[in-house]
Amino acid sequence: MKPYAFPLVAIALAGCAVLAAQTTAVPQSAGGTAREAPASPPAGSADPATAAAPPVTGGEAFAAECGTCHLPYLPAFLPARSWEAITSDLAHHFGEDASLDAATTRAITDYLVANAADASRRSRRFLRGIDAGETPLRITGTPWWQSAHREVSARHFASDKVKTPSNCAACHRAAVSGSFDDDD
Amino acid sequence: MRATPRSTFAAGLFAVAAATGPAAAGPAQQAILDHYAAEAKAAGAPSAFSAARGEAFFRAKHGVSAESPSCSACHTADPRNPGRTRAGKPIEPMAVSAVPTRFTDLAEVEKWFRRNCNTVLGRACTPAEKGDFVAFMASR
C-alpha cells in the first residue's frame, strides 16, 4: 500500500485539528488589533541582532511580510529545513524578489522554524512521504497536499478566480493560512 | 541662489498637472518626490519628473521576466483599478486618487521599488524612474 493513500477524511481531520490547535498561537495580520502571540521567536529574543530590530514579534512580521503577495501559509505545512531554505533566498522567490532586511528575515525564520511541521507531534503527519534528504519548497508539492487535492480538478486550479494552486484563499478562506481574524 | 529640489520638483509637477489633469499629491507624496528629486540631482540626473515618462515606464515590457513583463502586469493597465499578484491576491489601486495613502511611507515605497524593479527589470530603478513613476500615480 502506498504510504499516503490513506482516506481523504483522515487528512482533512488531521489538517483541521492542526489548524484549530494553531489558531490561538498565531498573530493577527498587519494592521489588525494585536492579540497576545505566545509563539514569538524563542531563539531570537536573546540575540543582540534581533534586539535592535523594530518591536514586532516574528509572528507579526511573518503575517505582515509574507502575507502581501499571498496569504501567510501555515508554518506547520512544511518542515523547518524548507522554511530555512525559502527565507535564505528571498531575493529569488519563485521568480520574484521578496527580499527583506536581515533582522526581519531572521525573526521570520525563527518563527517559521519554531512552528514548522517537525516542531510538534501533531503536525508531523504533514511530513509523510517526504524523504529526509529532500527539502520541498512548495506546500503544493508535498505528498499530503497532493493527496488531499487529488479529487480537485486541474481546471479548478487554472480558473481565473483561483489562478494557481498556491492561492489557497480562493477555496479555503483564512483557515489554511497563518493569519486568523477573530470572527473566522 | 539655485532652486531647492523642492521648488524644482514643484515646477515639474505643475507642468505635469497642466498636461494630465489635477494632481492628487498631498504633503506625504510630496516629501517622497522631494526625496527622489534630491537623489536625482545628486546623481546629476534631471530632477523635474514627468508623469508621461512614468506612464511609459509603467506600461513598457522590459523583457526580463516571463511572468512579470511589466509593472502593469500586476498593477493593471489602469492604475485606478485594483491589481492582482501572481498568486491571485488582490492589490489595492496604485493611483493616489483611488488610494490616498499610496506613496506616503518612504521605507515601504523603497522596499517595493527594490523588489519590483529587480523582478521586472533585473536591476534597481534610478531615482528619476522612481520619481516619474510616483508623479504618474499622483496624476491619476
Side-chain angles (χ1 to χ4, degrees):
Chain A
M1 188 181 144
K2 279 195 282 164
Y4 27 87
F6 44 76
L8 185 59
V9 177
I11 299 162
L13 288 175
C16 298
V18 169
L19 300 174
Q22 288 264 342
T23 5
T24 50
V26 159
Q28 296 289 292
S29 63
T33 42
R35 191 199 292 171
E36 290 309 318
S40 57
S45 24
D47 188 280
T50 36
V56 290
T57 65
E60 282 164 351
F62 165 71
E65 298 293 350
C66 305
T68 36
C69 298
H70 42 69
L71 279 187
Y73 299 114
L74 200 67
F77 286 156
L78 285 174
R81 62 184 183 278
S82 294
W83 293 121
E84 276 166 346
I86 288 168
T87 54
S88 71
D89 195 14
L90 286 171
H92 304 95
H93 184 74
F94 301 91
E96 288 182 19
D97 183 340
S99 59
L100 288 164
D101 64 84
T104 309
T105 306
R106 170 75 188 276
I108 290 174
T109 308
D110 289 345
Y111 170 79
L112 288 168
V113 165
N115 293 281
D118 35 10
S120 144
R121 281 188 56 193
R122 271 196 312 271
S123 51
R124 268 188 207 146
R125 61 196 71 227
F126 294 123
L127 300 172
R128 231 177 268 197
I130 303 172
D131 281 354
E134 208 188 331
T135 304
L137 298 181
R138 281 190 180 269
I139 296 161
T140 53
T142 59
W144 77 260
W145 191 93
Q146 296 190 338
S147 180
H149 295 83
R150 186 174 292 148
E151 315 256 290
V152 188
S153 91
R155 232 176 347 106
H156 260 104
F157 289 122
S159 74
D160 183 58
K161 181 180 149 264
V162 179
K163 224 174 152 180
T164 149
S166 316
N167 189 7
C168 323
C171 305
H172 289 286
R173 295 191 26 115
V176 292
S177 94
S179 167
F180 292 81
D181 288 318
D182 283 331
D183 46 7
D184 269 349
Chain B
M1 200 188 133
R2 288 180 53 106
T4 62
R6 185 179 193 99
S7 57
T8 309
F9 163 69
L13 182 68
F14 285 153
V16 159
T20 60
Q29 286 93 6
Q30 185 72 50
I32 303 254
L33 283 160
D34 289 348
H35 171 85
Y36 290 132
E39 278 191 1
K41 207 168 164 220
S47 55
F49 299 131
S50 147
R53 271 200 312 262
E55 175 164 14
F57 176 83
F58 175 73
R59 298 188 192 291
K61 292 204 165 62
H62 297 276
V64 170
S65 161
E67 299 94 353
S68 306
S70 64
C71 310
S72 58
C74 289
H75 295 299
T76 72
D78 184 344
R80 287 169 301 190
N81 291 335
R84 212 171 168 206
T85 67
R86 263 179 58 216
K89 194 174 188 235
I91 306 174
E92 295 244 279
M94 294 297 271
V96 173
S97 65
V99 180
T101 51
R102 279 291 180 207
F103 311 106
T104 51
D105 176 344
L106 182 61
E108 191 68 9
V109 171
E110 275 288 285
K111 179 178 82 183
W112 285 102
F113 270 132
R114 182 188 74 231
R115 289 171 162 181
N116 295 348
C117 291
N118 196 22
T119 296
V120 176
L121 292 92
R123 62 166 173 85
C125 287
T126 65
E129 285 168 335
K130 296 177 190 175
D132 288 345
F133 185 89
V134 177
F136 170 53
M137 294 307 170
S139 78
R140 282 302 149 109

